[in-house]
Amino acid sequence: MDERIPAQPPRALIAPACARVHLAGDVEHPAALTVADLRALPQRTVQARYVCGRRGEQPHTYTGPELLEVLLAAGPRFHPVIGKDRVRFLVVVTGRDGHLAVLSWGEIDPRYSGSAVLMATSVDDRPLDTHGPQLVVPGDTAGGRYVSQITSIWTGPATTLTDI
Ligand SMILES: Nc1nc2c(c(=O)[nH]1)N[C@H]1C(S)=C(S)[C@@H](COP(=O)(O)O)O[C@H]1N2
Ligand SMILES: [Mo]
């Protein structure tokens, strides 16, 4: 055997590349989550469709945890007594290519409008471990907030001009 050619390890021993989502902002527990970490949370499956400018209507089946659960696990620093403090919080979701979409806490919390926004760990049964999760916003018509290959999520309070 040619000693200069390193032996390849069996394919099963090569760890698959897995994307991470950096979760940061005004939270107690910043984290770098894999899709496998997201799969450890309670999963929901929804059918949703958005209209893509280039490819028309896109119906897909998405499975993953609710964005709300992922954010709550990070411990957002809401005011300990004033319940409505949470409606100041923004959620900024960024994809690998820099595409970015903003949600507000009131959109994802059932005590307000509360539509179930998911972080998909699979689309049409295709796992997203290597690509990274995709945001699913079933109430949206256009696809702009279906951010794919999510690399970071920031949450924290918006400020008013008087705070600046
Ligand atoms: N990371 C990332 N996600 C994205 C976008 C993007 O440019 N980058 N475009 C959005 C828009 S505008 C649409 S319509 C859908 C299109 O996704 P598709 O081509 O996979 O259907 O992805 C959404 N998610
Ligand atoms: Mo789009």
Side-chain angles (χ1 to χ4, degrees), residues 25-96:
D26 201 0
V27 296
E28 297 286 347
H29 314 292
L33 303 170
T34 62
V35 169
D37 294 331
L38 295 174
R39 222 172 260 124
L41 293 166
Q43 305 289 291
R44 288 186 58 165
T45 296
V46 300
Q47 290 182 336
R49 56 184 65 224
Y50 57 81
V51 180
C52 171
R54 286 176 294 118
R55 296 195 295 132
E57 196 157 271
Q58 290 295 310
H60 294 292
T61 301
Y62 299 95
T63 298
E66 289 190 27
L67 175 62
L68 179 70
E69 297 297 329
V70 177
L71 293 173
L72 286 174
R77 291 201 190 96
F78 302 137
H79 190 284
V81 175
I82 303 171
K84 67 185 177 188
D85 186 53
R86 67 197 62 209
V87 301
R88 294 194 303 141
F89 273 60
L90 298 172
V91 183
V92 182
V93 179
T94 308
R96 189 169 307 285

Side-chain angles (χ1 to χ4, degrees), residues 11 20 23 63-64 81 139 142 152 155 160:
R11 194 153 266 291
R20 281 181 187 270
L23 182 48
T63 298
V81 175
S152 75
T155 192
T160 70

